[in-house]
Amino acid sequence: MSRVILARRIAIAVAALLVVVLGIVAVLAVTWVRRPFPVTEGELTVPGLQGKVQVIRGDHGIPQIYADTADDLFRAEGFVHAQDRFFEMDLRRHITSGRLSELVGKGGLETDRVIRTLGWRRVAEAELPTLKPETRRYLQAYADGVNAYIHQQGTPSKMSLEYVVLAQKVPDYRVEDWTPADSLAWLKAMAWDLRGDYSAELMRARLAGSMPLSQINELFPAYPYTANKPILSGDEWSPTTGAPTTATGTTPTDAGSAIPFSSAPAKAASTKASGTDPAVAAETGPGAQRAYAAVSKALASVPVTMGRGDGIGSNSWVVSGSRTSTGKPLLANDPHLGVSIPGIWYQVGLHCRTVGSSCPFDTAGYSFAGLPGIVIGHNQSIAWGFTNLGPDVSDFFLEQVRGSTYLRDGKQVPLTMRTETIKIGGGGEETITVRSTAHGPILSDAIDGVAKAGEGPPVNGKTSPGDYEVALQWTGIQVGQTADAIFGLNKATNFAEFRAAAKDFAVPAQNLLYADTAGNIGYQAPGVIPVRSRYMQNAPGYWIRPGWVSSWDWKGYVPFAQMPYAYNPPKGFIVAANQAVTESSTPFLTTEWDYGFRSQRIRDLLEKDPKVTPAAMSQIQGDTRSQFAPTLVKALLKVDLGNDDFTEQAQDLLRHWDFTTPAGKSPAGAAAAYYNAVWSSLLDLTFDDELPKDLRANGGDQWMEAMSQLLAKPRSAWWDDKRTAGVTEGQSEILRKALVDARLDLTRELGKDPSDWEWGQLHTLTLTHQVLGGDDVPGIVRQLFNRGPIEMPGGSAIVDANGWDASKGLDDASRSQAFKVDWAPSMRMVVDLSNFDRSRWVNQTGNSGHAFADHYNDQSKAWAKNELFDWPYSAGAVKDAGGDELTLVPGGSSS
């Protein structure tokens, strides 16, 4: 099932009533739009403050907050976040708590069922008492600041325009006070979107019954270490030896097996998935396939909060002062996440007026509205960036369920069960039963099956449908201390303190890049990484595991001391763009790396420049060259089109193309448009004829590497289009047909003359509101909240990673829907460690979440063109930049 944006989940419930709103909006639009806008000048009372707090907002509404105590600093951050982004915060906590239906009505039920099954909120509540005392204090101070805003505004309509619209469906909605667990639950959503290879695991399992393993394996090539270098190579990283230990401190043996559920030694890759091994037969049988499909449906019901999909990742790199024009390190970061309005990040500065042990923060950067502190940025001594490590931290276990029991080492043992009641905004409620095994919650019945039995006991004494269910084991629903890590990073002043903070960064595991004002650079891989059983040590995560055999269980976690890190590597730079971390298989992190097209391009550009300037760092962020295109174009130019002059006109665009993908009118832009149309058609002809609709090729780095391998295998089964009965096409015919089809598609879309084609006309971004921006919402309402379209350069697996999904649009009259931007750099920053005030940054939209406010999308045009703004940090630079000044003062009641 393709991913469905949240708007489509609730549109049926609210669309008819939105029409009623339109007439009212015409009369009261100005009042409703402006009344939630924040007060940014003068003086406001915030209960609980110990002293005055100064909030200075510059040209783009970015607050720099100055306080005397850490508690006041985070209390003010909570208040300011709520002023600008409260609806986003409220939406996020309803999603992460499995309470979306309370906000939007019945349209949120499927989402709530799945998230209640996962138990994000329950884990957040259990996590809170395990955190450091100061972390708990900061979370509470932040919550107090949010609540000061809630009580000050009083009614939802004074907090955001969205509540006015949604009130037509849920008229009695009341805003609850914020709690520390609301902030922690958001970390679970972040971890969910950025976890590792769950989609590949399900894909392999679902295909295993329909094709040979050798053909499936062609979709998942090995990482090309020779062509695309890992983050750390050779002797650059520590520790350089050692194997991950189990929970008891022993080293697991490595029997190795690439065959699902086999406890025997590895078999040949050509072994059929439908072989005689009973466990393999169970894994590919109809009961298992039903369960896998149900899990896929459940996963698709969870709204995208950060961004998911092939290509979701980030660029980050750091260059030592020996290789920069400034003589000090430079650090760049641009996380590639989902696109929305408002954007994911909120820019802010958090400054203790006197930095010391009692108030150790002097930090600026990108935060999440709803979570205190800075997630990515710098303080007075260090800077840090994130890219997704993407380790294999989740496994699906096939379980043999009978009624209220499941099979475990030859015995039927009781399922763990709990009931959850979901309240529905506008009236009503639904009770579900959540079932769990030793591995985790059963996801295969989260939407269908026993979970929909209603309010009565849906499991006891009844047999679940089919013979098998699927449970999820995932580190994200275990108690962790990632919140401690965020505050630790914010106040770290050297690499040792940075690593100590990283040790607590449990989920989502990130590549952490580091630089400091003393001239040092570094890297750390953190995270809670499972150690698998010996049966799957060579390929953990390749296949769903048999839950009824305990020897397949996780055996512990990789000790932090064995996680890769580097400090001042000899080459003078570190590039972390989701590629493999090292060539070593110890410790095992994953097999599902990004294939390194972006990372290698960044490396190549850095290696060509003996003295990298801050401007060059920014230029690299906007690089639009495709690293895969030369491989495919070489094959396309060999295709003999015969007397087809019409298609040859388009093919000629590729002959002198420099493989860049600009948005405007140019020969390169015309070639990029045709190339991407050919690529979309080629994916459909090669892969989509044999894949389920919801597993179609999206065209990201995995598919590029797979195609690179297939071009050298002209006899691969993938080259036959199974939709043409009685015809076996072969490689040359498929390539020819892709060229022809793309020529026809673009003629319809962009005109007959190929020289007039523009990539930017196809490759557009509409910044879409998560709730009220979807196609099923009336156009006049969408126009209130959405912005765009914007013509965009770049593409999937390109440094300027404005990604698109080739699987979209295949069922529409217009194939061009595939080229719409689905993910992109969520922000960009270049930190200059020689002078923080010379650092630069830009956000995807703006800091405000209020439609029509000055800062709703005031950075979008610059962001789309890869332009950065000044980033004032020191008190003097902030003062010189000017802006609105608000003073928050103690007093009043917190109730």
Side-chain angles (χ1 to χ4, degrees), residues 728-790:
T728 302
E729 282 83 2
Q731 184 185 97
S732 60
E733 174 58 18
I734 291 295
L735 292 173
R736 185 198 69 80
K737 194 171 188 319
L739 288 163
V740 171
D741 289 351
R743 171 51 154 137
L744 293 172
D745 287 342
L746 292 196
T747 299
R748 286 189 292 266
E749 292 290 334
L750 301 179
K752 187 175 181 179
D753 186 351
S755 65
D756 290 336
W757 295 345
E758 297 180 31
W759 174 226
Q761 291 182 344
L762 295 172
H763 191 51
T764 63
L765 166 64
T766 297
L767 294 164
T768 302
H769 191 278
Q770 195 176 11
V771 173
L772 297 173
D775 292 340
D776 295 322
V777 175
I780 192 169
V781 176
R782 293 201 305 271
Q783 291 173 18
L784 292 174
F785 298 100
N786 293 353
R787 297 295 181 268
I790 306 169

Side-chain angles (χ1 to χ4, degrees), residues 185-373:
W186 169 239
L187 292 174
K188 303 307 170 187
M190 176 182 171
W192 178 259
D193 275 3
L194 300 181
R195 69 201 186 281
D197 68 341
Y198 73 97
S199 58
E201 187 172 342
L202 270 180
M203 185 174 183
R204 282 181 169 98
R206 291 178 61 189
L207 296 178
S210 62
M211 62 183 64
L213 293 177
S214 57
Q215 188 176 355
I216 297 174
N217 289 338
E218 287 181 323
L219 299 180
F220 301 93
Y223 184 86
Y225 288 101
T226 301
N228 298 334
K229 300 299 183 184
I231 297 173
L232 306 175
S233 56
D235 59 357
E236 292 178 337
W237 67 285
S238 298
T240 56
T241 59
T245 60
T246 66
T248 58
T250 59
T251 300
T253 57
D254 183 8
S257 174
I259 306 301
F261 297 177
S262 174
S263 58
K267 302 178 183 178
S270 59
T271 302
K272 300 279 187 176
S274 57
T276 57
D277 188 312
V280 176
E283 189 264 349
T284 59
Q289 291 297 317
R290 177 206 63 78
Y292 302 155
V295 171
S296 294
K297 182 177 179 181
L299 294 177
S301 298
V302 180
V304 174
T305 53
M306 294 287 291
R308 293 198 295 272
D310 195 30
I312 293 295
S314 307
N315 298 325
S316 190
W317 64 96
V318 62
V319 183
S320 172
S322 64
R323 297 182 58 97
T324 69
S325 63
T326 67
K328 291 287 187 178
L330 296 170
L331 186 149
N333 197 188
D334 53 282
H336 307 152
L337 301 170
V339 288
S340 63
I341 193 164
I344 289 167
W345 299 104
Y346 183 96
Q347 295 155 286
V348 65
L350 302 173
H351 309 281
C352 294
R353 291 192 180 100
T354 300
V355 178
S357 58
S358 62
C359 195
F361 301 100
D362 192 10
T363 312
Y366 294 88
S367 67
F368 291 131
L371 183 71

Side-chain angles (χ1 to χ4, degrees), residues 126-142:
E127 199 165 272
L128 183 61
T130 73
L131 300 174
K132 294 177 180 178
E134 61 267 29
T135 299
R136 298 198 303 271
R137 199 176 74 243
Y138 299 155
L139 287 165
Q140 187 59 59
Y142 180 88

Side-chain angles (χ1 to χ4, degrees), residues 833-895:
L833 277 295
S834 72
N835 185 339
F836 286 124
D837 289 331
R838 289 203 292 258
S839 301
R840 309 266 289 169
W841 62 352
V842 71
N843 211 344
Q844 187 180 97
T845 56
N847 249 25
S848 178
H850 298 294
F852 301 105
D854 290 342
H855 308 302
Y856 187 55
N857 67 318
D858 60 333
Q859 300 185 52
S860 295
K861 289 183 179 179
W863 166 83
K865 294 186 290 185
N866 189 41
E867 296 174 353
L868 304 181
F869 297 110
D870 291 338
W871 181 352
Y873 167 71
S874 68
V878 171
K879 182 178 180 180
D880 289 345
D884 295 344
E885 184 171 337
L886 174 69
T887 301
L888 305 179
V889 300
S893 171
S894 61
S895 60

